[in-house]
Amino acid sequence: MRWPALAYGTPRKLPKPRTLKGRVVVLDIAFAANVGGGGFERVTKPFIDGLGNRLVLWVDHHDHQAHINYADDQRFVLHTKAEHGACPEIITPELVRRAGKYDTICCHTDFDGLCAAAKWILGGAEPYPGSDKDAYAIDTRLGQPSPTGALLDRAIRAQPKNDQLRTTIIRYLVGGIIDQHLQAEITHAALALEVLEQRAQELALRYQVQSDVAAVDATNSTDAYDKTWLLLLGQDLAPISLVYDSHTVTIAAKFDSGIDLLALLGISGGMPTRVSVPRRRLEEVLEALHNRQT
């Protein structure tokens, strides 16, 4: 088994193409949406152009209007969230063989992305039985992942900026989740999430519900908290949860709710049931949410 170079990115924060070695596979990174002064033209397209013919394959499952521009480009395997709730289920042995030689994997920073990278390294085989189902459960927040999936997800959420931990998780997955030393590192990292979840629980007491929107102001929260958990707690109160601070407004709905936040807010791409926009759009967002059924 060959071990590639690993790089990590998000739709709005991609590595410089010149820093990526050789031929590159991109996994589970959405085209950037038109929010926050970035967008496809300023973030994603320069990255694609910078890689040029070194881009082997781009595999993703998030909605974006620019997908149509690459419909005839064999380097792009692009789906919507409705078609595939998670990225690893798209990756098959046939797809990996079709891609051929590669030197670097650039993947998203969440469980979905890391599991996709591990599956790619393994030639399209699941790192452990049920890992595809775990990725779906974690990325959609529908159903319960296995204990292994839950542990890895908790570690990632506890240390969202730790690339070394991400590499540890990929190595653990590729090794068949049997390395006890790596498991101990991951378990230790996951413990930190308990504090972040407790802070989210405390913030959730401030939720205000109007119509079908539960909103909470986290502007004055000086301590880190688990935003995913806070949003899920809000969805226990209303179909749509909204968390805002001094920089960002994040809105979420359940994956199977049928709510399309992208269309509602005029955003070009991303996940239909979870979006983030700059704080300056708060009043506009609230108005759109409250008026969506009128």
Side-chain angles (χ1 to χ4, degrees):
M1 179 190 305
R2 58 187 303 274
W3 194 265
L6 296 171
Y8 306 100
T10 67
R12 284 180 279 181
K13 189 174 182 180
L14 295 165
K16 299 294 185 184
R18 66 175 179 272
T19 68
L20 302 182
K21 176 185 175 183
R23 290 167 55 81
V24 180
V25 173
V26 179
L27 303 175
D28 192 43
I29 297 181
F31 288 4
N34 60 331
V35 294
F40 175 80
E41 293 294 334
R42 294 185 61 181
V43 180
T44 315
K45 191 172 186 302
F47 181 71
I48 294 171
D49 293 344
L51 287 176
N53 59 14
R54 295 194 297 122
L55 176 60
V56 177
L57 211 64
W58 190 308
V59 184
D60 187 49
H61 68 122
H62 297 90
D63 302 45
H64 202 285
Q65 295 172 358
H67 281 186
I68 193 171
N69 298 336
Y70 297 91
D72 297 325
D73 191 327
Q74 294 300 308
R75 298 175 302 166
F76 292 84
V77 179
L78 304 173
H79 295 275
T80 65
K81 192 74 176 178
E83 291 170 333
H84 291 284
C87 189
E89 65 192 47
I90 305 171
I91 297 170
T92 63
E94 293 74 20
L95 185 63
V96 176
R97 285 196 296 269
R98 187 190 105 188
K101 182 180 180 297
Y102 69 98
D103 303 290
T104 299
I105 292 176
C106 180
C107 66
H108 196 207
T109 56
D110 61 1
F111 177 85
D112 196 32
L114 304 188
C115 192
K119 192 176 183 185
W120 193 276
I121 294 169
L122 290 168
E126 284 188 294
Y128 60 89
S131 62
D132 282 5
K133 291 182 179 179
D134 277 355
Y136 182 91
I138 290 167
D139 218 50
T140 63
R141 297 297 163 186
L142 293 178
Q144 295 296 322
S146 71
T148 295
L151 171 66
L152 299 179
D153 176 51
R154 291 180 66 80
I156 294 163
R157 286 161 52 203
Q159 299 193 24
K161 298 181 179 180
N162 190 337
D163 283 350
Q164 182 176 346
L165 175 63
R166 294 183 181 109
T167 299
T168 295
I169 288 172
I170 292 175
R171 288 187 175 276
Y172 180 63
L173 287 167
V174 171
I177 64 170
I178 61 174
D179 189 312
Q180 296 299 306
H181 176 69
L182 295 180
Q183 184 181 55
E185 286 186 42
I186 294 165
T187 301
H188 178 74
L191 291 175
L193 190 66
E194 294 179 7
V195 174
L196 303 182
E197 287 178 327
Q198 179 58 39
R199 291 171 183 162
Q201 293 272 13
E202 294 166 359
L203 282 171
L205 298 175
R206 306 181 194 174
Y207 265 116
Q208 300 291 318
V209 180
Q210 183 178 349
S211 182
D212 58 358
V213 179
V216 63
D217 181 357
T219 303
N220 296 323
S221 178
T222 56
D223 296 320
Y225 59 91
D226 182 11
K227 186 179 287 188
T228 294
W229 184 235
L230 181 56
L231 288 164
L232 290 171
L233 291 171
Q235 289 164 32
D236 290 337
L237 305 174
I240 299 172
S241 56
L242 182 151
V243 176
Y244 65 95
D245 56 30
S246 58
H247 301 290
T248 305
V249 180
T250 303
I251 315 101
K254 291 183 179 180
F255 179 72
D256 58 355
S257 65
I259 297 171
D260 188 340
L261 297 171
L262 298 176
L264 187 66
L265 302 177
I267 297 173
S268 64
M271 188 170 173
T273 51
R274 178 166 173 168
V275 301
S276 294
V277 299
R279 167 64 184 265
R280 66 177 181 273
R281 293 190 62 181
L282 176 61
E283 296 305 319
E284 170 198 344
V285 167
L286 288 172
E287 182 177 2
L289 294 178
H290 291 315
N291 293 337
R292 72 184 184 91
Q293 293 180 330
T294 62

